[in-house]
Amino acid sequence: MTAEAPTAPALSYGRLVPVTVHFDDLDALGLLHNARYPVMVERAWTELWAGHGVRFEGDWAAAGDACNAVRELTISYEAPVTRPGGYAVHLWLDRLGTTGLTYGFRFCSADGATTYAHGTRVLVRLDSGTLRPAPWSEAFRTAGRALLRPTD
């Protein structure tokens, strides 16, 4: 970890989703606990997709594209979050495959200018009956394409 958080360029792709760090998210040293970052990212991801009608309400058979599992998670911590309050998660897709996707994220200041942590997560869409990989719906793929990060 560095003492100063790196600043990020203006948001040119993906979405910036507001999140709140609460006092009880901090550890004994007053820092956002490392295990809370993925929770904040998951909440932002859930909110983003709920806006596209993708919701999980406890019924795997009815979950559709929300029936998925994490295959891989990587996270790098750049600078500590030292107080509760409003922050944001910048989300985008790096890859949208037939049955899987890779999304990138940054845990950042509310305006997206300061990055505290960043990483990637690989998800696999599952068939609710077999728990085997299944294709994303066309509606999900259409919404996902709008989140793809441009390639250089």
Short mmCIF file of all heavy atoms in Angstrom, two decimals, residues 59-100:
data_model
loop_
_atom_site.label_atom_id
_atom_site.label_comp_id
_atom_site.label_asym_id
_atom_site.label_seq_id
_atom_site.Cartn_x
_atom_site.Cartn_y
_atom_site.Cartn_z
N ASP A 59 -34.83 -17.53 -5.55
CA ASP A 59 -35.33 -18.63 -6.37
C ASP A 59 -34.37 -18.84 -7.53
O ASP A 59 -34.39 -18.09 -8.51
CB ASP A 59 -36.74 -18.28 -6.88
CG ASP A 59 -37.35 -19.38 -7.74
OD1 ASP A 59 -36.67 -20.39 -8.05
OD2 ASP A 59 -38.51 -19.22 -8.15
N TRP A 60 -33.53 -19.88 -7.44
CA TRP A 60 -32.52 -20.12 -8.47
C TRP A 60 -33.15 -20.39 -9.83
O TRP A 60 -32.64 -19.97 -10.85
CB TRP A 60 -31.60 -21.27 -8.09
CG TRP A 60 -30.60 -20.88 -7.06
CD1 TRP A 60 -30.53 -21.32 -5.78
CD2 TRP A 60 -29.53 -19.94 -7.21
NE1 TRP A 60 -29.49 -20.71 -5.13
CE2 TRP A 60 -28.86 -19.86 -5.99
CE3 TRP A 60 -29.08 -19.15 -8.27
CZ2 TRP A 60 -27.77 -19.04 -5.79
CZ3 TRP A 60 -28.00 -18.32 -8.07
CH2 TRP A 60 -27.34 -18.28 -6.84
N ALA A 61 -34.26 -21.09 -9.86
CA ALA A 61 -34.90 -21.42 -11.14
C ALA A 61 -35.39 -20.16 -11.85
O ALA A 61 -35.36 -20.08 -13.07
CB ALA A 61 -36.05 -22.39 -10.92
N ALA A 62 -35.84 -19.16 -11.09
CA ALA A 62 -36.34 -17.93 -11.68
C ALA A 62 -35.26 -16.87 -11.81
O ALA A 62 -35.50 -15.81 -12.39
CB ALA A 62 -37.49 -17.38 -10.82
N ALA A 63 -34.05 -17.15 -11.33
CA ALA A 63 -32.99 -16.13 -11.27
C ALA A 63 -32.44 -15.75 -12.64
O ALA A 63 -31.89 -14.66 -12.80
CB ALA A 63 -31.85 -16.62 -10.37
N GLY A 64 -32.55 -16.64 -13.62
CA GLY A 64 -32.03 -16.32 -14.94
C GLY A 64 -30.54 -16.01 -14.89
O GLY A 64 -29.74 -16.79 -14.36
N ASP A 65 -30.17 -14.83 -15.40
CA ASP A 65 -28.76 -14.45 -15.47
C ASP A 65 -28.13 -14.22 -14.09
O ASP A 65 -26.92 -14.18 -13.97
CB ASP A 65 -28.60 -13.20 -16.33
CG ASP A 65 -28.93 -13.48 -17.79
OD1 ASP A 65 -28.32 -14.40 -18.36
OD2 ASP A 65 -29.80 -12.80 -18.35
N ALA A 66 -28.96 -14.05 -13.07
CA ALA A 66 -28.42 -13.89 -11.72
C ALA A 66 -27.98 -15.22 -11.12
O ALA A 66 -27.37 -15.26 -10.06
CB ALA A 66 -29.45 -13.23 -10.80
N CYS A 67 -28.27 -16.31 -11.81
CA CYS A 67 -27.78 -17.63 -11.39
C CYS A 67 -26.37 -17.78 -11.94
O CYS A 67 -26.15 -18.24 -13.05
CB CYS A 67 -28.70 -18.74 -11.90
SG CYS A 67 -28.25 -20.38 -11.29
N ASN A 68 -25.41 -17.33 -11.16
CA ASN A 68 -24.01 -17.37 -11.59
C ASN A 68 -23.12 -17.57 -10.38
O ASN A 68 -23.57 -17.42 -9.24
CB ASN A 68 -23.63 -16.11 -12.38
CG ASN A 68 -23.82 -14.84 -11.60
OD1 ASN A 68 -23.13 -14.61 -10.61
ND2 ASN A 68 -24.74 -14.01 -12.02
N ALA A 69 -21.89 -17.92 -10.63
CA ALA A 69 -20.94 -18.17 -9.55
C ALA A 69 -19.62 -17.49 -9.88
O ALA A 69 -19.25 -17.34 -11.05
CB ALA A 69 -20.72 -19.67 -9.37
N VAL A 70 -18.92 -17.11 -8.82
CA VAL A 70 -17.60 -16.49 -8.99
C VAL A 70 -16.58 -17.60 -9.23
O VAL A 70 -16.50 -18.56 -8.47
CB VAL A 70 -17.21 -15.68 -7.74
CG1 VAL A 70 -15.80 -15.13 -7.86
CG2 VAL A 70 -18.21 -14.56 -7.50
N ARG A 71 -15.83 -17.45 -10.29
CA ARG A 71 -14.76 -18.41 -10.59
C ARG A 71 -13.42 -17.91 -10.06
O ARG A 71 -12.58 -18.68 -9.64
CB ARG A 71 -14.68 -18.63 -12.10
CG ARG A 71 -13.63 -19.65 -12.47
CD ARG A 71 -13.77 -20.06 -13.93
NE ARG A 71 -12.91 -21.17 -14.20
CZ ARG A 71 -11.74 -21.06 -14.81
NH1 ARG A 71 -11.31 -19.88 -15.21
NH2 ARG A 71 -11.00 -22.11 -15.02
N GLU A 72 -13.24 -16.59 -10.11
CA GLU A 72 -11.95 -16.02 -9.72
C GLU A 72 -12.16 -14.58 -9.27
O GLU A 72 -13.00 -13.86 -9.82
CB GLU A 72 -11.03 -16.05 -10.94
CG GLU A 72 -9.66 -15.49 -10.73
CD GLU A 72 -8.85 -15.56 -12.01
OE1 GLU A 72 -8.73 -16.67 -12.57
OE2 GLU A 72 -8.36 -14.51 -12.45
N LEU A 73 -11.40 -14.16 -8.27
CA LEU A 73 -11.42 -12.78 -7.79
C LEU A 73 -9.99 -12.36 -7.49
O LEU A 73 -9.26 -13.07 -6.80
CB LEU A 73 -12.25 -12.67 -6.51
CG LEU A 73 -12.19 -11.35 -5.75
CD1 LEU A 73 -12.84 -10.23 -6.55
CD2 LEU A 73 -12.85 -11.48 -4.40
N THR A 74 -9.60 -11.23 -8.07
CA THR A 74 -8.30 -10.64 -7.75
C THR A 74 -8.55 -9.21 -7.28
O THR A 74 -9.44 -8.53 -7.80
CB THR A 74 -7.34 -10.62 -8.95
OG1 THR A 74 -7.90 -9.80 -9.97
CG2 THR A 74 -7.07 -12.01 -9.47
N ILE A 75 -7.76 -8.78 -6.31
CA ILE A 75 -7.89 -7.42 -5.81
C ILE A 75 -6.54 -6.93 -5.34
O ILE A 75 -5.77 -7.68 -4.75
CB ILE A 75 -8.96 -7.33 -4.69
CG1 ILE A 75 -9.22 -5.88 -4.30
CG2 ILE A 75 -8.59 -8.17 -3.51
CD1 ILE A 75 -10.47 -5.69 -3.46
N SER A 76 -6.26 -5.69 -5.67
CA SER A 76 -5.03 -5.02 -5.22
C SER A 76 -5.45 -3.78 -4.45
O SER A 76 -6.31 -3.02 -4.90
CB SER A 76 -4.16 -4.61 -6.40
OG SER A 76 -3.71 -5.75 -7.10
N TYR A 77 -4.82 -3.59 -3.31
CA TYR A 77 -5.14 -2.46 -2.45
C TYR A 77 -4.08 -1.38 -2.66
O TYR A 77 -2.90 -1.63 -2.51
CB TYR A 77 -5.17 -2.91 -0.99
CG TYR A 77 -6.16 -4.03 -0.77
CD1 TYR A 77 -5.76 -5.36 -0.80
CD2 TYR A 77 -7.50 -3.75 -0.55
CE1 TYR A 77 -6.68 -6.39 -0.62
CE2 TYR A 77 -8.42 -4.77 -0.37
CZ TYR A 77 -8.00 -6.09 -0.41
OH TYR A 77 -8.92 -7.10 -0.23
N GLU A 78 -4.53 -0.19 -3.03
CA GLU A 78 -3.62 0.91 -3.36
C GLU A 78 -3.40 1.87 -2.21
O GLU A 78 -2.30 2.38 -2.02
CB GLU A 78 -4.15 1.68 -4.57
CG GLU A 78 -4.29 0.83 -5.81
CD GLU A 78 -2.97 0.27 -6.31
OE1 GLU A 78 -1.92 0.89 -6.10
OE2 GLU A 78 -2.99 -0.82 -6.90
N ALA A 79 -4.46 2.19 -1.47
CA ALA A 79 -4.38 3.15 -0.37
C ALA A 79 -5.51 2.85 0.61
O ALA A 79 -6.57 2.37 0.21
CB ALA A 79 -4.50 4.57 -0.89
N PRO A 80 -5.31 3.12 1.88
CA PRO A 80 -6.34 2.78 2.86
C PRO A 80 -7.53 3.74 2.84
O PRO A 80 -7.38 4.93 2.59
CB PRO A 80 -5.60 2.89 4.20
CG PRO A 80 -4.49 3.85 3.94
CD PRO A 80 -4.10 3.65 2.51
N VAL A 81 -8.70 3.20 3.08
CA VAL A 81 -9.90 4.00 3.34
C VAL A 81 -9.95 4.14 4.85
O VAL A 81 -9.97 3.14 5.57
CB VAL A 81 -11.16 3.29 2.80
CG1 VAL A 81 -12.43 3.99 3.26
CG2 VAL A 81 -11.11 3.22 1.28
N THR A 82 -9.95 5.37 5.33
CA THR A 82 -9.79 5.61 6.76
C THR A 82 -11.00 6.21 7.45
O THR A 82 -10.93 6.50 8.64
CB THR A 82 -8.59 6.55 7.00
OG1 THR A 82 -8.84 7.78 6.32
CG2 THR A 82 -7.29 5.92 6.51
N ARG A 83 -12.11 6.37 6.72
CA ARG A 83 -13.29 6.93 7.38
C ARG A 83 -14.56 6.47 6.68
O ARG A 83 -14.55 6.19 5.48
CB ARG A 83 -13.23 8.45 7.42
CG ARG A 83 -13.14 9.13 6.08
CD ARG A 83 -13.10 10.64 6.18
NE ARG A 83 -12.15 11.12 7.13
CZ ARG A 83 -10.98 11.67 6.82
NH1 ARG A 83 -10.66 11.83 5.57
NH2 ARG A 83 -10.15 12.06 7.75
N PRO A 84 -15.64 6.41 7.45
CA PRO A 84 -16.93 6.09 6.84
C PRO A 84 -17.39 7.22 5.93
O PRO A 84 -16.88 8.34 6.00
CB PRO A 84 -17.87 5.93 8.04
CG PRO A 84 -17.13 6.31 9.25
CD PRO A 84 -15.72 6.61 8.89
N GLY A 85 -18.37 6.91 5.09
CA GLY A 85 -18.94 7.93 4.22
C GLY A 85 -19.21 7.43 2.83
O GLY A 85 -19.20 6.22 2.57
N GLY A 86 -19.43 8.36 1.92
CA GLY A 86 -19.77 8.03 0.54
C GLY A 86 -18.54 7.78 -0.32
O GLY A 86 -17.60 8.59 -0.31
N TYR A 87 -18.57 6.68 -1.03
CA TYR A 87 -17.51 6.30 -1.98
C TYR A 87 -18.22 5.81 -3.23
O TYR A 87 -19.42 6.00 -3.39
CB TYR A 87 -16.62 5.20 -1.38
CG TYR A 87 -15.83 5.68 -0.19
CD1 TYR A 87 -16.37 5.63 1.09
CD2 TYR A 87 -14.55 6.20 -0.35
CE1 TYR A 87 -15.64 6.10 2.19
CE2 TYR A 87 -13.82 6.67 0.74
CZ TYR A 87 -14.38 6.61 2.01
OH TYR A 87 -13.66 7.08 3.08
N ALA A 88 -17.50 5.19 -4.13
CA ALA A 88 -18.11 4.64 -5.34
C ALA A 88 -17.33 3.42 -5.78
O ALA A 88 -16.17 3.22 -5.40
CB ALA A 88 -18.13 5.68 -6.46
N VAL A 89 -17.97 2.61 -6.61
CA VAL A 89 -17.32 1.49 -7.28
C VAL A 89 -17.49 1.72 -8.77
O VAL A 89 -18.62 1.90 -9.26
CB VAL A 89 -17.90 0.14 -6.86
CG1 VAL A 89 -17.25 -0.99 -7.65
CG2 VAL A 89 -17.73 -0.09 -5.36
N HIS A 90 -16.38 1.77 -9.48
CA HIS A 90 -16.38 1.89 -10.93
C HIS A 90 -16.38 0.47 -11.48
O HIS A 90 -15.49 -0.32 -11.17
CB HIS A 90 -15.13 2.66 -11.37
CG HIS A 90 -14.97 2.78 -12.84
ND1 HIS A 90 -13.78 3.14 -13.42
CD2 HIS A 90 -15.83 2.59 -13.88
CE1 HIS A 90 -13.91 3.18 -14.72
NE2 HIS A 90 -15.14 2.84 -15.03
N LEU A 91 -17.40 0.12 -12.25
CA LEU A 91 -17.56 -1.22 -12.80
C LEU A 91 -17.55 -1.18 -14.33
O LEU A 91 -18.09 -0.25 -14.93
CB LEU A 91 -18.91 -1.82 -12.37
CG LEU A 91 -19.08 -2.09 -10.89
CD1 LEU A 91 -20.55 -2.40 -10.59
CD2 LEU A 91 -18.20 -3.21 -10.43
N TRP A 92 -16.95 -2.19 -14.92
CA TRP A 92 -16.96 -2.34 -16.37
C TRP A 92 -16.73 -3.81 -16.71
O TRP A 92 -16.34 -4.61 -15.86
CB TRP A 92 -15.87 -1.49 -17.02
CG TRP A 92 -14.48 -1.91 -16.67
CD1 TRP A 92 -13.71 -2.83 -17.32
CD2 TRP A 92 -13.70 -1.44 -15.57
NE1 TRP A 92 -12.49 -2.96 -16.68
CE2 TRP A 92 -12.46 -2.10 -15.60
CE3 TRP A 92 -13.92 -0.51 -14.55
CZ2 TRP A 92 -11.47 -1.89 -14.66
CZ3 TRP A 92 -12.92 -0.30 -13.61
CH2 TRP A 92 -11.71 -0.99 -13.68
N LEU A 93 -16.99 -4.18 -17.94
CA LEU A 93 -16.71 -5.53 -18.42
C LEU A 93 -15.43 -5.50 -19.24
O LEU A 93 -15.26 -4.64 -20.10
CB LEU A 93 -17.84 -6.07 -19.28
CG LEU A 93 -19.16 -6.38 -18.58
CD1 LEU A 93 -20.16 -6.95 -19.57
CD2 LEU A 93 -18.97 -7.31 -17.41
N ASP A 94 -14.55 -6.44 -18.97
CA ASP A 94 -13.35 -6.64 -19.79
C ASP A 94 -13.62 -7.68 -20.87
O ASP A 94 -13.03 -7.63 -21.95
CB ASP A 94 -12.17 -7.11 -18.94
CG ASP A 94 -11.53 -5.97 -18.18
OD1 ASP A 94 -11.49 -4.85 -18.70
OD2 ASP A 94 -11.06 -6.21 -17.05
N ARG A 95 -14.50 -8.66 -20.56
CA ARG A 95 -14.78 -9.75 -21.49
C ARG A 95 -16.20 -10.22 -21.26
O ARG A 95 -16.64 -10.36 -20.12
CB ARG A 95 -13.82 -10.91 -21.24
CG ARG A 95 -13.99 -12.08 -22.19
CD ARG A 95 -13.12 -13.27 -21.78
NE ARG A 95 -13.51 -13.85 -20.50
CZ ARG A 95 -14.54 -14.68 -20.34
NH1 ARG A 95 -15.29 -15.02 -21.36
NH2 ARG A 95 -14.83 -15.17 -19.15
N LEU A 96 -16.93 -10.44 -22.33
CA LEU A 96 -18.28 -10.98 -22.25
C LEU A 96 -18.34 -12.19 -23.18
O LEU A 96 -18.41 -12.06 -24.40
CB LEU A 96 -19.31 -9.93 -22.67
CG LEU A 96 -20.77 -10.36 -22.68
CD1 LEU A 96 -21.20 -10.85 -21.30
CD2 LEU A 96 -21.65 -9.21 -23.14
N GLY A 97 -18.23 -13.37 -22.58
CA GLY A 97 -18.26 -14.60 -23.35
C GLY A 97 -19.66 -15.19 -23.41
O GLY A 97 -20.63 -14.58 -22.97
N THR A 98 -19.75 -16.40 -23.92
CA THR A 98 -21.04 -17.08 -24.05
C THR A 98 -21.62 -17.44 -22.69
O THR A 98 -22.79 -17.22 -22.42
CB THR A 98 -20.89 -18.35 -24.91
OG1 THR A 98 -20.36 -17.97 -26.18
CG2 THR A 98 -22.22 -19.06 -25.09
N THR A 99 -20.78 -18.01 -21.80
CA THR A 99 -21.25 -18.44 -20.48
C THR A 99 -20.52 -17.75 -19.33
O THR A 99 -20.88 -17.95 -18.18
CB THR A 99 -21.08 -19.97 -20.31
OG1 THR A 99 -19.69 -20.29 -20.37
CG2 THR A 99 -21.85 -20.74 -21.37
N GLY A 100 -19.53 -16.97 -19.64
CA GLY A 100 -18.76 -16.31 -18.58
C GLY A 100 -18.47 -14.87 -18.94
O GLY A 100 -18.70 -14.43 -20.06
#
